[in-house]
Amino acid sequence: MTELVTMSLDRRIAEVTLRRPEKLNAMSRLLMKSLAAIIANISNDCSLRCVVITGAGSAFSAGADIAELRKLTPGNAEQFIRLLHTACQAIRDCPVPVIAKIDGPCLGGALELAASCDMRAASERSTFAMPEVQIGIPSVIEAALLPRLMGWGRASELLYTGRTLTAKEALSFGILEKVVSPEDLDHAIAGWTDAISSAGPKVIRAQKSLMRRWEQLMIDDAIEAGVAYFQEACTNDEPQIALK
């Protein structure tokens, strides 16, 4: 049986690839389970520095598998959507930065996966949409991250209309950090992974942990939390090595 999600490791950087190219990497139950398991497993690797998530073929992912959506009932709908949430949560809980490398359509649940990543870069031919309302269901779970990325007005436009954004529009909306030609996408990602790898592994993990806490804290508490992280950083040798 063909693996629906694969992982390769090079220089302590993991590349996780969705592999249903014949279905534009549409997310079936099995694919979502596999993705969550792989991310959770590599998160236990203490030598890991960074994770890149991408899609095989001509799409990042077309989102949830339409064939499986057609079979949803009140009895199985919660189980289905929790599988996607579990995959997104595994990405958010990963202790190192996770980067979405997007080349092609990134729709619905796939955009929620991308929003769960720390950074996102896309090729110019990529497209983005949250079309759920057009098929009778609201955008849920990690769609809640979108207003934080782009603001409430733009998130409302995206979610209420289901309109499709070009890569340049997604960049202007705040969904993406980089848009490049398809030929330059690997180079753009490498710029990030090289910079992350050049920093100490402890400080990168500390920064990821602190940024996740910032999401949940009021501003004064977030500032105070940073003081403890600063003090903790001075208990290891990374600052002294970097400052020599």
Side-chain angles (χ1 to χ4, degrees), residues 36 38-45 48 51 53 85-98 113 115-118 142 145 204-205 208-213 215-216:
I38 285 175
I39 296 294
N41 184 54
I42 61 176
S43 292
N44 293 322
D45 182 350
L48 188 68
V51 177
I53 299 178
H85 167 62
T86 299
C88 291
Q89 190 66 48
I91 292 169
R92 284 168 50 75
D93 287 344
C94 183
V96 299
V98 182
L113 280 180
S116 300
C117 296
D118 297 286
E142 273 68 20
L145 299 171
I204 289 294
R205 286 171 178 255
K208 173 75 180 269
S209 173
L210 181 57
M211 291 184 74
R212 287 284 282 116
R213 290 194 65 191
E215 294 179 10
Q216 302 161 8

Side-chain angles (χ1 to χ4, degrees), residues 50-129:
C50 186
V51 177
V52 177
I53 299 178
T54 192
S58 60
F60 181 74
S61 170
D65 190 326
I66 293 296
E68 296 202 15
L69 289 179
R70 291 192 179 111
K71 298 176 183 177
L72 291 182
T73 68
N76 64 21
E78 179 180 350
Q79 187 261 357
F80 180 87
I81 200 62
R82 284 196 181 278
L83 287 175
L84 178 55
H85 167 62
T86 299
C88 291
Q89 190 66 48
I91 292 169
R92 284 168 50 75
D93 287 344
C94 183
V96 299
V98 182
I99 297 169
K101 182 173 76 172
I102 302 164
D103 186 17
C106 178
L107 310 178
L111 184 48
E112 294 177 44
L113 280 180
S116 300
C117 296
D118 297 286
M119 298 182 286
R120 292 150 291 277
S123 69
E124 296 164 334
R125 63 191 176 194
S126 300
T127 54
F128 302 82

Side-chain angles (χ1 to χ4, degrees), residues 19-55:
R19 291 199 180 276
R20 288 187 80 198
E22 73 286 357
K23 297 290 186 181
L24 297 180
N25 301 317
M27 294 184 291
S28 63
R29 285 178 172 84
L30 288 176
L31 187 148
M32 291 186 286
K33 286 180 181 178
S34 181
L35 176 60
I38 285 175
I39 296 294
N41 184 54
I42 61 176
S43 292
N44 293 322
D45 182 350
C46 294
S47 69
L48 188 68
R49 303 301 302 275
C50 186
V51 177
V52 177
I53 299 178
T54 192

